[in-house]
Amino acid sequence: MSTEVTIVDEVVWKQAIARVRSDADDTNWAVFTHENNETSLVKYIADGKGGASEFSSQFKDEGVFYGLLRMEHTIDMSTAIKFVYVHWVGTNVPFAKRGRFGVVSGSVKNLFNPFHLNIETNTESDLSESNIMTLLEETAGTTRKKVLDASEGIARPERGFTSTSSSKRGSSSGSSNLYSSTSVQKVSTGGGAVNFDDQVPAVIADVRNDSSDITWCLVSYQDNNLKKPYIIVLGSGAGTVAEIKERKLLGDDMVAYGLYRVTDVVDDIPTVKFVYIQWVGNDVKPLSKAKISTHKGALEEMFYPNHITFFVTNASDITQAAVMDKVMSASGSKSHVK
């Protein structure tokens, strides 16, 4: 059995995708399915301007569907466009047919690249606007905690950007749903998509989480492969940034990214700051440096928001003093008295 699919009326298909992606068009969703239940044939069936609620109503229990949804995600008064890919296998699809459709699911998924969030489900409530926004916030590491009461604020430091831990989600309705899952893909500015292991947004969320002891995390390219960028977690810890160096996680021929949480004192108020770490080893080749520049947008979005960027190429420069010097210089808390 072939793992590839053929598009019925490719022009119509591409036009529908283009409408969803276009800033000049109000169309914000499109849905596709298989022609006459044929595994190898896929076709466009509908699009619309009604957002997640209208989009979710298109998926039926008797069929296999694919969809692309455009959402607006607002972080700190800044609005970003996010694209969500949905793979739906209805609860009434026979088990044997699920297997046959599953063989071509990778081929179909590639037709929707790039996108920010992948949802595989058979439950309409998983596609509610509130649920999708929660998933987008979790994968971006920007889920907000509740506003603290005055008494809580005295006991805890002020934080710049916080989040709760993220995890894989099942059915939001509370019923058993073994098919639901999520994975993360970021759109790289000026290049292709950068894929992230599910543990990457989860560990970033841990660094941001008030109740977590994790203060830093470090990620890099699996097998140091920049041509097929798949980002995995190298490590995390509860110590200072020097722990990264002590654990010998960095090499001179590799590229890595990290997030580090520190506390700065501004006007006598402890304030949590987040440092985005970029490591490019001294032995990384010029062509490799050019390649990672096309991944810049995707990585920055994954680690957004943060207060400063700490760019480093030599392990000896990874010290708590160096990080705090940059943090305090940026916040204005650094003393310049000699």
Side-chain angles (χ1 to χ4, degrees), residues 124-170:
E124 187 173 341
S125 58
D126 283 349
L127 302 181
S128 68
E129 182 171 355
S130 60
N131 190 61
I132 292 174
M133 289 305 300
T134 297
L135 290 172
L136 286 171
E137 289 170 357
E138 288 178 352
T139 56
T142 57
T143 305
R144 295 298 194 268
K145 295 178 72 68
K146 70 179 181 66
V147 178
L148 299 178
D149 296 331
S151 59
E152 294 179 284
I154 294 173
R156 298 168 68 180
E158 288 192 358
R159 298 177 62 83
F161 313 113
T162 63
S163 75
T164 55
S165 295
S166 65
S167 61
K168 283 192 175 183
R169 300 176 64 87

Side-chain angles (χ1 to χ4, degrees), residues 272-317:
V272 170
K273 303 287 187 178
F274 293 100
V275 180
Y276 173 42
I277 300 169
Q278 295 183 32
W279 165 270
V280 180
N282 285 320
D283 293 340
V284 174
K285 297 177 181 179
L287 286 178
S288 295
K289 291 180 180 179
K291 185 66 177 177
I292 64 173
S293 68
T294 67
H295 306 159
K296 180 180 178 181
L299 269 302
E300 287 183 347
E301 186 174 350
M302 175 60 73
F303 285 92
Y304 178 86
N306 54 75
H307 295 88
I308 67 162
T309 298
F310 184 54
F311 183 82
V312 62
T313 61
N314 194 313
S316 63
D317 295 331

Side-chain angles (χ1 to χ4, degrees), residues 218-279:
L218 194 71
V219 307
S220 186
Y221 299 89
Q222 187 175 51
D223 299 325
N224 214 17
N225 187 344
L226 305 183
K227 293 182 179 179
K228 296 182 178 180
Y230 185 77
I231 305 298
I232 60 172
V233 175
L234 292 181
S236 61
T240 70
V241 70
E243 190 176 12
I244 297 175
K245 180 171 57 177
E246 293 165 1
R247 288 173 58 175
K248 299 180 180 180
L249 296 174
L250 298 170
D252 289 335
D253 63 342
M254 65 181 289
V255 177
Y257 310 89
L259 191 68
Y260 178 44
R261 182 178 73 210
V262 299
T263 301
D264 186 21
V265 178
V266 181
D267 296 329
D268 296 323
I269 300 174
T271 305
V272 170
K273 303 287 187 178
F274 293 100
V275 180
Y276 173 42
I277 300 169
Q278 295 183 32
W279 165 270

Side-chain angles (χ1 to χ4, degrees), residues 12 70 78 81 161 172 176 203 221 265 299:
V12 171
R70 184 177 70 207
S78 177
I81 299 298
F161 313 113
S172 58
S176 175
V203 75
Y221 299 89
V265 178
L299 269 302

Side-chain angles (χ1 to χ4, degrees), residues 264-267 324 327-336:
D264 186 21
V265 178
V266 181
D267 296 329
M324 291 309 300
V327 169
M328 292 187 293
S329 295
S331 68
S333 64
K334 179 180 179 180
S335 173
H336 296 280

